[in-house]
Amino acid sequence: MPHWDDRQYLKFADKRTRPARELLARVPLEAPARVVDLGCGPGNSTALLRERWPQARVTGVDSSAAMLARARQDLPEVEWVEADIARWTPASPPDLIFANAVLQWLPDHASLLPRLFGLLAPGGVLAFQVPDNFNEPSHAWMRDLPGPWQVIVAGVRTTPRVARAADYYDLLAPLAAGVDLWQTRYEHVMKDAAAIVEWVKGTGLRPYLEALDSALRTDYEAAYLSAIDRAYPLRVDGRRLFSFPRLFVLARRHTD
């Protein structure tokens, strides 16, 4: 996992939080007692959970101490847990496991998702959202950018970790009382190509930059900016449209 920077991540907090709001709006729970925000980051999605269910016990779980420090600062009343979410186990079964834009960092969803689903209380819900942009220009150019860094970055991410919607359905439907899933392609209005680069520096681009020494990193980032400038052309008002697909899944456990 890369090292996380809460300030970089939150530069686009409103746009990053929008999918969490839309996922939360579809969660079919009235008054859950125990809610977990898995991969909570700096707490922007946790705040939504706290707002919707103020009486619930809300726990944020993340592997990044830096992100959790920011979350504690903004939401001191929430329980924060530093843990490897691939191995995390709750003290008691939660009614909701909410995972906003985190599971794409973890391998082997075929094992991970049934394990997380099995941690739920009866009638509980697993709700997650993942970026589905492995083959979008923003992410393809991270891997395919020609230059002296190619051998180094080749091993950062070689295969997509996000499966097809149908694969998630087939994985969870035999276990669940019901599965709801959908895809959304956001068209984020961005000031310029540099703003798109700033966005991905907070997430997908970080491990590529961290793999390079300072000299190569500077040249790589300049070449990447040039590629993004070509891939996301000017619109009529001088801005850019950053096309960003996401996949949403909710699965509810049987009540007995």
Side-chain angles (χ1 to χ4, degrees):
M1 293 283 283
H3 295 94
W4 295 106
D5 182 335
D6 61 286
R7 292 169 298 179
Q8 184 72 34
Y9 182 87
L10 290 172
K11 284 183 178 180
F12 303 94
D14 288 345
K15 289 182 171 66
R16 291 193 192 282
T17 305
R18 180 179 170 185
R21 290 185 184 278
E22 295 176 3
L23 177 63
L24 180 57
R26 298 279 283 272
V27 173
L29 295 173
E30 291 297 325
R34 180 90 165 83
V35 172
V36 175
D37 188 8
L38 202 60
C40 61
N44 51 313
S45 55
T46 321
L48 301 179
L49 300 171
R50 184 70 173 165
E51 179 183 350
R52 178 165 173 181
W53 296 298
Q55 303 306 314
R57 179 182 176 187
V58 178
T59 302
V61 180
D62 204 276
S63 62
S64 168
M67 287 291 202
L68 289 172
R70 175 58 185 268
R72 288 189 184 98
Q73 175 185 321
D74 293 343
L75 294 167
E77 72 278 9
V78 170
E79 176 187 34
W80 303 105
V81 175
E82 183 177 347
D84 177 351
I85 62 177
R87 297 177 176 84
W88 163 83
T89 301
S92 57
D95 299 299
L96 172 64
I97 297 176
F98 190 86
N100 180 60
V102 64
L103 298 186
Q104 75 275 10
W105 293 103
L106 301 174
D108 193 14
H109 286 189
S111 297
L112 175 65
L113 290 172
R115 188 185 83 81
L116 292 176
F117 189 78
L119 298 174
L120 292 166
V125 171
L126 171 65
F128 68 91
Q129 173 273 126
V130 284
D132 192 13
N133 49 15
F134 185 80
N135 291 315
E136 293 294 307
S138 59
H139 286 62
W141 279 119
M142 295 176 190
R143 307 185 301 273
D144 301 335
L145 199 64
W149 44 74
Q150 279 188 304
V151 173
I152 300 171
V153 303
V156 173
R157 181 68 64 84
T158 56
T159 57
R161 289 174 175 165
V162 173
R164 301 176 306 156
D167 294 329
Y168 288 121
Y169 183 84
D170 289 343
L171 184 64
L172 292 168
L175 308 174
V179 178
D180 181 15
L181 65 171
W182 70 98
Q183 294 171 299
T184 298
R185 178 176 286 272
Y186 296 88
E187 298 292 344
H188 296 300
V189 179
M190 308 293 280
K191 178 182 177 182
D192 50 28
I196 297 174
V197 175
E198 284 298 303
W199 174 298
V200 295
K201 280 173 70 175
T203 50
L205 191 62
R206 291 192 67 81
Y208 292 89
L209 296 178
E210 290 175 1
L212 303 171
D213 63 34
S214 57
L216 270 183
R217 188 182 306 129
T218 298
D219 292 342
Y220 172 90
E221 192 172 336
Y224 179 75
L225 173 59
S226 180
I228 293 302
D229 184 54
R230 296 189 301 271
Y232 298 92
L234 286 169
R235 307 319 309 170
V236 66
D237 60 357
R239 293 181 172 86
R240 314 292 176 114
L241 289 181
F242 181 26
S243 191
F244 201 121
R246 295 180 184 268
L247 172 63
F248 298 75
V249 180
L250 292 100
R252 187 162 194 174
R253 189 169 178 174
H254 292 279
T255 55
D256 52 17

